[in-house]
Amino acid sequence: MQPVQTGRRRETRQRNAVRAVLAEASGFRSAQQLHALLRERGDGVGLATVYRTLQHLATDGEVDVLRTDDGEAIYRLCGAGHHHHLVCRHCRRAVEIDNDAVERWTRRIAQDHRFTDVEHTMEMTGTCAECRE
């Protein structure tokens, strides 16, 4: 069977397998955790392929990427459109936050400094109610 061409990248068995395991995972997962889940399922996808696939999915806007305190990238399938997260620094639970205030602030800062074509990412961390108890 030939890979299906969608958007900018080919759909491959490995890409579909990584996307499927992300869909089943709760919350953010590291590439190593996703690789282990793929192995448990019997999917023969190498760790280097998982990393490369996650990078492509992130570039294409299909996954959210956060950095842990030690700098490790963690991933999850993302909601539609540009958005931001509030992430628990203990359990890594993430909630999407209202964009309106962030977007207004970003536009104002860009205008104040006479910048155009501004892109941004924002990650807020804290402790969720469950971890606080």
Side-chain angles (χ1 to χ4, degrees), residues 74-90:
I74 53 176
Y75 306 86
R76 78 168 183 180
L77 284 179
C78 71
H82 179 73
H83 55 278
H84 305 283
H85 300 105
L86 177 59
V87 182
C88 179
R89 68 176 54 96
H90 302 283

Side-chain angles (χ1 to χ4, degrees), residues 15-27 29 34 37-38 41 54 57 62-63 75-78:
R15 185 176 172 101
N16 288 331
V18 170
R19 193 182 287 120
V21 78
L22 277 165
E24 294 169 7
S26 60
R29 301 293 178 110
L34 294 168
L37 291 170
L38 286 163
R41 292 173 46 156
L54 289 168
L57 291 171
E62 292 187 52
V63 297
Y75 306 86
R76 78 168 183 180
L77 284 179
C78 71

Side-chain angles (χ1 to χ4, degrees), residues 15-119:
R15 185 176 172 101
N16 288 331
V18 170
R19 193 182 287 120
V21 78
L22 277 165
E24 294 169 7
S26 60
F28 285 85
R29 301 293 178 110
S30 70
Q32 293 88 355
Q33 290 170 324
L34 294 168
H35 180 250
L37 291 170
L38 286 163
R39 289 185 65 171
E40 287 173 15
R41 292 173 46 156
D43 282 314
V45 179
L47 182 57
T49 300
V50 172
Y51 274 107
R52 190 171 43 256
T53 300
L54 289 168
Q55 183 59 49
H56 290 314
L57 291 171
T59 299
D60 293 347
E62 292 187 52
V63 297
D64 292 324
V65 184
L66 297 176
R67 295 272 173 199
T68 63
D69 290 340
D70 62 359
E72 180 180 27
I74 53 176
Y75 306 86
R76 78 168 183 180
L77 284 179
C78 71
H82 179 73
H83 55 278
H84 305 283
H85 300 105
L86 177 59
V87 182
C88 179
R89 68 176 54 96
H90 302 283
C91 71
R92 305 308 294 173
R93 184 174 78 88
V95 295
E96 292 185 14
I97 58 174
D98 178 25
N99 277 349
D100 293 340
V102 172
E103 301 306 319
R104 283 192 306 273
W105 178 80
T106 302
R107 282 191 301 274
R108 191 186 84 233
I109 295 298
Q111 288 172 348
D112 289 352
H113 295 279
R114 299 176 55 201
F115 274 62
T116 60
D117 301 321
V118 172
E119 295 178 359

